Amino acid sequence: DEDDRVNVRETKRVIDRQQKLSSQFVAEKSRTEALSYMAWAEAKPKGDFLAVVPYLKRIVELAREEANQVGYAGHPYD
């Protein structure tokens, strides 16, 4: 039925996207996200959000790299 077709289409889209990412990139992104969460959890009670800025910058860099690996039509932020 239509729901199954949508589920299959979306699952295929996710798998196709994931296959375009290198394992090294996925490991780096996961590591950075984990470290940034730990930094945020420590900074939040202190109100020291500047401590998180380097992690956020790295996450943006990784998002750009992901767009390059996956490919995009138009602008990489789309």
Side-chain angles (χ1 to χ4, degrees):
D1 69 355
E2 183 61 24
D3 288 341
D4 290 337
R5 279 192 285 276
V6 169
N7 286 335
V8 168
R9 183 186 71 228
E10 289 304 307
T11 300
K12 181 182 181 327
R13 185 184 64 79
V14 168
I15 290 170
D16 289 346
R17 181 181 174 90
Q18 290 174 345
Q19 288 177 336
K20 293 177 182 178
L21 301 174
S22 71
S23 58
Q24 181 181 0
F25 172 81
V26 172
E28 172 64 16
K29 183 178 177 190
S30 295
R31 185 181 75 78
T32 301
E33 288 172 347
L35 291 173
S36 68
Y37 179 80
M38 290 187 302
W40 171 81
E42 187 177 313
K44 184 179 179 186
K46 299 175 189 174
D48 182 18
F49 297 106
L50 290 177
V52 182
V53 170
Y55 296 98
L56 294 176
K57 286 181 179 182
R58 182 66 182 137
I59 288 171
V60 170
E61 290 171 0
L62 290 169
R64 290 177 179 150
E65 176 59 29
E66 184 172 353
N68 286 331
Q69 287 189 27
V70 171
Y72 54 88
H75 197 278
Y77 289 112
D78 288 340

